[in-house]
Amino acid sequence: MIETIQLELNGTPTKLEIDPSTILMWALRNELGLTGTKFGCGLGFCGSCTILLDDEPVRSCMLAVSDAAGKKLTTIEGLAKNGELHPVQKAFIKNDAQQCGYCTPGMILNAVGLLLKNPEPSRKEVIEGMEENLCRCGTYGRIIESIQMAGIEMKGGVKI
Amino acid sequence: MKREDRITELLSKDMNNPWEMDRRDFMRKLGGGLIIAFAVSDMTLLGSCAAEADEKGGVNAYLKIGQDGRVTLFTGKIEMGQGPITSLPMMLADELDVNLESVDIIMGDTLLCPYDQGTYGSLSTRKYGQAMRAAAAEAKAILLKMAAAELSTNNSQLVPEQLQVIDGIVSLKTDNTRNISYADLTQGKEILETVTGKPSMKKASEMKVMGNSRLHVDAELKVTGQAKYSGDMKLPGMMFARIVRPPSLGAKMLSIDTSGAEAIEGVEIVEAGDMVAVIHESRDIADVAISKVKAEWEEETMEVDDKNIFDHLVKNGTEVRELKTKGSLDKGKENSTQNFSQEYHDPYIAHAPIENHTATAVFEGEKLKIWASCQTPYPTQEDVAEALGISKENVRMMQIFTGGGFGGKIYNPQATEVALLAQKTKKPIQLTWTREEEFMFDRLRPAATIIIESGLDADGKIAMWDYQLYAGGRRGATTFYDIPNQLTNQNNAPRNVTLHPFHTGAWRGPSNNTNTFARESHMELMAAAAGKDALQFRLDHLEKDEKMTKVLKAGAEKFGWTPAKGPSGRGYGIACGIDAGTYVAVFVEIDVDKASGHVQVRRAVVSQNMGLVVNPQGVIIQAEGCVIMGLGYTLTEEIEFENRKMLTRNFDTYEIPKFSWTPQIEVVLIDAQDDPPQGGGEPAIICMGGAVANAIFDATGARLYQQPLTPARILEALAKA
Ligand code: FES
Ligand code: FES
């Protein structure tokens, strides 16, 4: 059943004509062309489909489009502002924190969500906050460093 | 212009009707310039690369020097996180003496790039990269000759030896105002050179780019979500496919009822060969539709499960292949004062890349285009052509980024599946395996049993070593320790016996993980019995092996190893080995929680001699990846199954390494820049199981003989210790 769903997508008020039960991840990828949101397991275990819903990291494979109605939704494509990369993105580049890059968008959005709540996380807090995002290439150490580095810039500290 | 835009532009130039062109025409279409095709035939340098170049038309690769001064490398290698998109241009820029920023790379496109056997086995740098360097060196020689002619005047005839090149500008060594750029040299020319001569590559002291760390050039594409993987392709009218799958491997379909799926609007049922699929323009609906298909199956039984498999492998391993023999085992036994006999087990494990096998396919007239997450564009092209009964010239594979491979994407049945569906339906199709399909149809690392019998003489030296490998591969099976009496056999099942209930294949550092776990565990078993320090015991058996000795000593120094008799209670472990030409040792420090059996690896030092290091940071990142990924097969990963039914279905029951596992990792690279480059993406992973098993023994006195070293097994071993 097609319905109209309104939401704010990457800063732009957006109206979708869509079956509200469509899995949010597939809607983003296949209907909206936002393919930076990746499919890895489809059951909430890997985190590669992570997006921000009202600044909260969520797994878009576990949600329907209707869950995003009226909310602010951020995908990896919407993270850079006015052509400037988000501090977490910059920190990932600087630390070479991606290999195949497939888990990377989900990692970055989960990290942004974490930093919005806790701008100065300890190593232990970063690990706890990131624990359920999986990377098969083994980039964890560099991601931890990137998140701590980005937190400093987000708080107005050293620019990356 | 950004690198990616340039590539797109370059590709779009000849997209109008690429099928009408042969390679030479295609080169012309690129807009003139110097095209160097190379087929270096120095077999010692190139090994399999040269052999294949001969077979497939005499060319390993080509590069183009355009009139805009840009250099483009066309390669059949693909990027799956291991970094050739960064390191291959570095090698090229250095040999050609151009600025790295002026090098573009086009990867994995079977129309544009020359044949390549695939991206695996740590071959990209050590074989292909060397060939490419040689070609670039030859290209430079050609350009210098052209420049000499251009810069000569009536009263001064120049020879190449009088010239130098800096950032693509050729000038007189004595007067750099007399110069000409590569771009101007190739201006308006259409030259096709094939170089086959003896290459002369730069020495380490002459290198300007190689040996200096570079960040991954694809980083920005990846952190912004712009990097395109095969499932990111969207074609007009594209349909999403799901395939009806058996409940277990090898099951035969007896009957099928698709009426439930057909009742859903827009669903089509497609039969192609043995395959039944549902397709729909929405992936969600394809998922619903597949769940409505009812099929009955006749399943095969094999009477094996994850417990009894190890005996099954030994029982069926009746075809003996001798890998190495030296001295006499009988004599060794006579000289032994202590004897050891131990069986080691290693289960099936999955590659589990986060990107499942995926492909998108479309027919344009006769011609088929496929974007597939794969490590082997050319062999896959052949597989697809054969399955569809079309010529391989009509199949074009094109894919730059693959979301992790680790050996699991050497085989790409999804490409054949999607192509068959596209052929049958005449529609563009996308197929992304579910995680459950990924586990079920993965070519798993084979389970293996290893039985080692050994003896120590009165001086605590190894007098004999009898290594019997069942079902595992031979990589890393023979020992490099100096042992006077030894035998290594690989015991395989006869051809007519189906040994494994699943497809098996190469898993990062194939079989060397298994062999190194067994060998290095057994070494420390003996070291402890001899009352010797684990490092010293190894060095005692490596007296003639300077390379491994140096690797071990450098690692020990970084780690801060101090001699002790095991178990020392410190939780220190070592393992070393040779893989893809690289000598590697790993030292770990761990904590074992004796109440829960939980292991935390606190620190890992990787020491390796891999010859020429092109991008040191890239190498360090690969070693870090090896340590972390290696902890998975070491501590948790194990496929559960019954008969040919896979019980492991998703990441909830197949635990791969997580953030909290991350140890502090340090990497020591032995300086050997004038030696040929060896493998970098795999070697360190082979040591993880052995190093951690040895550290568990060192911490607790409990020895484990079966990977993964799970808490349950640790508790069991502790109870016995
Ligand atoms: S795809 Fe959503 S958590 Fe794995
Ligand atoms: S970078 Fe490959 S899965 Fe994380």
Side-chain angles (χ1 to χ4, degrees):
Chain A
M1 199 65 59
I2 303 297
E3 285 177 23
T4 305
I5 302 272
Q6 303 211 30
L7 47 85
E8 188 190 312
L9 179 58
N10 290 331
T12 310
T14 305
K15 248 192 211 169
L16 301 177
E17 303 295 326
I18 195 167
D19 180 339
S21 69
T22 307
I23 299 287
L24 186 54
M25 172 184 66
W26 293 128
L28 289 168
R29 290 182 51 79
N30 300 335
E31 314 294 329
L32 295 159
L34 298 170
T35 53
T37 303
K38 300 299 187 206
F39 165 72
C41 69
L43 288 176
F45 300 127
C46 74
S48 60
C49 65
T50 303
I51 57 161
L52 295 177
L53 202 55
D54 284 344
D55 288 341
E56 188 69 38
V58 293
R59 307 212 150 176
S60 60
C61 72
M62 301 297 282
L63 297 175
V65 172
S66 55
D67 294 318
K71 298 197 171 157
K72 188 176 107 183
L73 195 152
T74 310
T75 69
I76 193 70
E77 293 87 351
L79 211 49
K81 288 277 173 299
N82 308 318
E84 200 194 332
L85 295 183
H86 188 279
V88 176
Q89 291 173 311
K90 285 193 286 181
F92 265 60
I93 294 176
K94 179 140 191 195
N95 290 302
D96 254 342
Q98 60 290 313
Q99 290 187 32
C100 80
Y102 198 81
C103 69
T104 308
M107 289 286 180
I108 291 177
L109 287 160
N110 202 65
V112 172
L114 170 72
L115 289 170
L116 286 173
K117 264 184 282 180
N118 178 1
E120 215 176 340
S122 65
R123 188 182 166 90
K124 190 161 164 266
E125 286 167 333
V126 171
I127 289 171
E128 277 167 16
M130 298 297 296
E131 183 71 351
E132 300 304 324
N133 277 62
L134 302 179
C135 171
R136 188 53 157 166
C137 299
T139 59
Y140 297 136
R142 286 169 187 273
I143 293 180
I144 296 168
E145 281 162 34
S146 303
I147 294 172
Q148 290 191 300
M149 185 186 274
I152 294 170
E153 172 170 331
M154 282 167 77
K155 263 186 43 218
V158 193
K159 277 251 185 195
I160 298 159
Chain B
M1 211 190 293
K2 282 189 16 195
R3 186 182 204 101
E4 192 61 13
D5 297 337
R6 282 200 308 270
I7 293 176
T8 314
E9 193 199 65
L10 196 54
L11 286 171
S12 64
K13 268 191 195 157
D14 59 296
M15 281 296 130
N16 307 332
N17 200 353
W19 303 104
E20 302 311 315
M21 296 182 293
D22 69 13
R23 267 185 194 155
R24 204 170 173 127
D25 287 338
F26 140 72
M27 290 178 189
R28 293 231 173 89
K29 273 227 161 178
L30 285 179
L34 174 66
I35 311 280
I36 313 273
F38 59 100
V40 181
S41 51
D42 181 341
M43 296 297 283
T44 53
L45 178 68
L46 296 175
S48 59
C49 264
E52 265 164 40
D54 278 353
E55 225 170 84
K56 310 275 174 181
V59 173
N60 303 114
Y62 27 78
L63 52 99
K64 170 190 138 79
I65 301 169
Q67 39 200 352
D68 54 0
R70 299 206 66 78
V71 180
T72 311
L73 170 67
F74 297 85
T75 169
K77 297 291 174 201
I78 58 95
E79 174 61 56
M80 53 182 169
Q82 80 294 23
I85 201 169
T86 307
S87 59
L88 292 176
M90 288 174 73
M91 301 172 91
L92 178 61
D94 217 339
E95 292 296 345
L96 211 49
D97 274 321
V98 296
N99 193 308
L100 181 59
E101 298 309 311
S102 66
V103 179
D104 300 316
I105 179 168
I106 297 201
M107 309 184 83
D109 184 323
T110 56
L111 181 73
L112 301 180
C113 306
Y115 181 86
D116 181 85
Q117 84 274 35
T119 308
Y120 55 81
S122 294
L123 294 167
S124 295
T125 308
R126 68 187 167 123
K127 300 285 188 207
Y128 175 81
Q130 287 294 84
M132 188 201 58
R133 280 178 68 196
E138 293 265 344
K140 185 175 140 188
I142 294 166
L143 287 158
L144 281 176
K145 232 168 58 214
M146 289 165 68
E150 288 284 334
L151 294 172
S152 289
T153 57
N154 283 345
N155 27 17
S156 94
Q157 289 295 317
L158 298 172
V159 292
E161 287 67 36
Q162 291 167 278
L163 303 175
Q164 61 180 0
V165 191
I166 298 166
D167 285 351
I169 314 267
V170 190
S171 63
L172 254 70
K173 283 180 184 161
T174 51
D175 174 7
N176 66 9
T177 62
R178 278 176 71 190
N179 62 50
I180 185 164
S181 67
Y182 282 175
D184 287 337
L185 275 174
T186 57
Q187 196 77 37
K189 299 205 176 69
E190 287 177 356
I191 313 160
L192 181 77
E193 290 271 1
T194 304
V195 298
T196 50
K198 189 103 186 141
S200 85
M201 293 178 278
K202 282 190 174 177
K203 290 195 202 50
S205 57
E206 298 164 320
M207 292 173 186
K208 296 194 192 100
V209 185
M210 288 183 274
N212 297 306
S213 287
R214 297 278 168 169
L215 295 174
H216 287 133
V217 297
D218 51 3
E220 186 167 336
L221 290 174
K222 287 175 174 173
V223 304
T224 54
Q226 304 305 310
K228 291 273 178 275
Y229 302 80
S230 51
D232 298 338
M233 305 312 301
K234 175 137 206 215
L235 306 169
M238 189 174 82
M239 306 286 271
F240 295 91
R242 287 290 310 273
I243 295 170
V244 178
R245 298 298 190 185
S248 59
L249 227 64
K252 303 262 172 324
M253 192 186 285
L254 298 174
S255 67
I256 185 162
D257 172 7
T258 55
S259 56
E262 278 168 282
I264 302 171
E265 198 188 325
V267 168
E268 289 174 44
I269 309 292
V270 189
E271 287 181 42
D274 291 346
M275 173 171 60
V276 183
V278 300
I279 61 170
H280 193 271
E281 60 182 20
S282 151
R283 166 74 193 233
D284 288 75
I285 298 178
D287 284 345
V288 174
I290 196 84
S291 71
K292 307 267 186 231
V293 173
K294 293 197 189 74
E296 280 183 63
W297 304 86
E298 185 185 305
E299 297 189 56
E300 275 186 19
T301 47
M302 255 185 89
E303 308 286 317
V304 285
D305 59 30
D306 43 55
K307 316 264 168 340
N308 67 20
I309 186 76
F310 303 104
D311 291 338
H312 165 82
L313 299 178
V314 174
K315 211 164 39 198
N316 287 287
T318 52
E319 304 237 309
V320 183
R321 180 172 173 195
E322 189 181 286
L323 298 180
K324 186 177 177 188
T325 179
K326 192 179 158 193
S328 136
L329 289 183
D330 287 338
K331 196 159 150 245
K333 264 178 213 153
E334 269 168 39
N335 295 347
S336 298
T337 53
Q338 290 188 75
N339 294 300
F340 307 86
S341 173
Q342 187 56 53
E343 187 165 328
Y344 298 89
H345 293 161
D346 220 5
Y348 297 98
I349 61 171
H351 296 87
I354 306 295
E355 178 199 38
N356 295 322
H357 279 68
T358 302
T360 306
V362 60
F363 265 96
E364 291 171 355
E366 298 264 274
K367 314 283 185 178
L368 173 64
K369 268 191 206 166
I370 305 180
W371 294 262
S373 58
C374 96
Q375 295 178 236
T376 48
Y378 288 82
T380 302
Q381 176 195 38
E382 287 168 11
D383 288 349
V384 168
E386 196 188 315
L388 270 64
I390 61 179
S391 97
K392 80 175 162 59
E393 282 68 39
N394 282 347
V395 180
R396 179 181 185 182
M397 307 292 301
M398 39 204 303
Q399 178 60 38
I400 299 175
F401 294 119
T402 291
F406 318 110
K409 290 174 182 165
I410 292 175
Y411 292 95
N412 304 281
Q414 91 284 14
T416 300
E417 290 169 349
V418 81
L420 284 167
L421 295 172
Q423 186 183 45
K424 192 76 194 244
T425 61
K426 312 234 172 344
K427 291 180 183 168
I429 307 277
Q430 184 165 98
L431 171 67
T432 303
W433 282 3
T434 61
R435 181 55 59 185
E436 292 74 13
E437 289 172 296
E438 186 71 25
F439 276 111
M440 183 153 174
F441 298 106
D442 190 14
R443 294 201 166 231
L444 305 173
R445 179 190 74 180
T449 299
I450 292 168
I451 300 171
I452 308 178
E453 303 213 358
S454 67
L456 284 177
D457 66 18
D459 300 329
K461 283 285 225 69
I462 308 170
M464 59 128 337
W465 177 266
D466 178 0
Y467 191 94
Q468 300 296 327
L469 168 64
Y470 295 88
R474 58 195 301 202
R475 191 156 145 182
T478 56
T479 178
F480 44 85
Y481 292 112
D482 189 6
I483 300 169
N485 305 296
Q486 52 172 297
L487 172 70
T488 303
N489 283 341
Q490 187 180 18
N491 305 281
N492 289 330
R495 277 199 186 283
N496 59 354
V497 171
T498 310
L499 186 64
H500 297 293
F502 302 103
H503 303 306
T504 58
W507 195 99
R508 198 176 191 176
S511 66
N512 212 339
N513 298 315
T514 301
N515 286 313
T516 301
F517 165 68
R519 181 190 63 247
E520 295 298 300
S521 295
H522 204 78
M523 282 301 285
E524 291 211 8
L525 183 85
M526 291 188 290
K532 293 211 175 145
D533 170 62
L535 175 64
Q536 193 55 49
F537 185 70
R538 285 182 175 82
L539 295 175
D540 288 347
H541 294 91
L542 289 166
E543 270 163 10
K544 286 179 227 134
D545 188 341
E546 267 175 52
K547 206 165 169 183
M548 189 61 92
T549 298
K550 200 164 165 193
V551 164
L552 277 165
K553 285 187 170 166
E557 191 185 326
K558 182 65 143 191
F559 184 82
W561 185 271
T562 47
K565 224 175 79 179
S568 74
R570 300 178 297 187
Y572 287 5
I574 310 177
C576 59
I578 305 167
D579 189 70
T582 291
Y583 284 57
V584 60
V586 172
F587 294 72
V588 297
E589 179 184 351
I590 68 164
D591 285 334
V592 182
D593 180 339
K594 288 187 189 155
S596 67
H598 175 77
V599 168
Q600 182 78 34
V601 179
R602 297 158 62 83
R603 205 154 71 88
V605 170
V606 177
S607 172
Q608 62 187 32
N609 182 336
M610 55 184 295
L612 170 67
V613 174
V614 176
N615 183 6
Q617 168 125 321
V619 160
I620 290 168
I621 289 171
Q622 284 303 298
E624 291 169 357
C626 281
V627 168
I628 294 175
M629 187 176 183
L631 288 177
Y633 82 74
T634 300
L635 294 173
T636 49
E637 292 179 34
E638 182 166 23
I639 292 290
E640 291 175 348
F641 65 98
E642 243 173 52
N643 293 314
R644 305 192 71 188
K645 194 188 193 84
M646 171 96 36
L647 304 176
T648 300
R649 299 179 58 77
N650 210 315
F651 288 124
D652 52 343
T653 50
Y654 192 83
E655 194 182 3
I656 65 171
K658 294 182 156 186
F659 269 92
S660 61
W661 299 23
T662 312
Q664 181 195 327
I665 303 169
E666 290 158 289
V667 180
V668 184
L669 299 175
I670 305 288
D671 184 3
Q673 289 297 82
D674 274 320
D675 292 347
Q678 305 297 337
E682 304 177 283
I685 202 168
I686 67 167
C687 294
M688 293 313 296
V692 173
N694 288 336
I696 291 172
F697 171 76
D698 190 55
T700 65
R703 192 153 271 294
L704 278 79
Y705 305 104
Q706 177 163 355
Q707 298 196 97
L709 316 168
T710 58
R713 291 193 182 117
I714 290 171
L715 291 177
E716 199 184 315
L718 278 172
K720 279 191 218 149

